[in-house]
Every structure is written in C-alpha cells, then in structure tokens.
Amino acid sequence: MEKLTKKQIEDYRKLCYERDHGRLLTPDGLRFICEANNMDPEAIGKHLLECLAHMNAFDNQRR
C-alpha cells in the first residue's frame, strides 16, 4: 500500500481549505456564472476578474 508524502498531505489540506471557503470552481459553478452573465464573454471575464481581485484582497488581509 502506498503512503502519502508530507507534501501531498499539505496539498490536500490546502485543497480542502479552498473547497470549504468556496474558492473552487466546479463545472456547475462555471455554468451558473455563464448563464448569469447571459453567455456574454465580456461580462463573464469581468465577473471572473472581480472575483480574482476580491480573492487577492482577502489573501493580502490574511498575511
């Protein structure tokens, strides 16, 4: 039986943290964003960039 390395365990913990804080984009989430923006690529891009700015601001507050 294979064992996980410490790095793999840490990566998994980070992934779980991101999932628990709603920071993973699922296929359903992507469909929702696209439909909410009427499948308009410009609106979708703007929304994603706003989300990215929000996440970056949150990350900077945590540090």
Side-chain angles (χ1 to χ4, degrees), residues 14-37:
K14 288 178 183 178
L15 181 64
C16 289
Y17 178 86
E18 298 300 330
R19 179 201 63 207
D20 294 345
H21 289 83
R23 295 172 72 175
L24 291 180
L25 185 58
T26 64
D28 285 338
L30 181 58
R31 278 187 208 94
F32 179 80
I33 291 168
C34 293
E35 290 171 5
N37 288 288

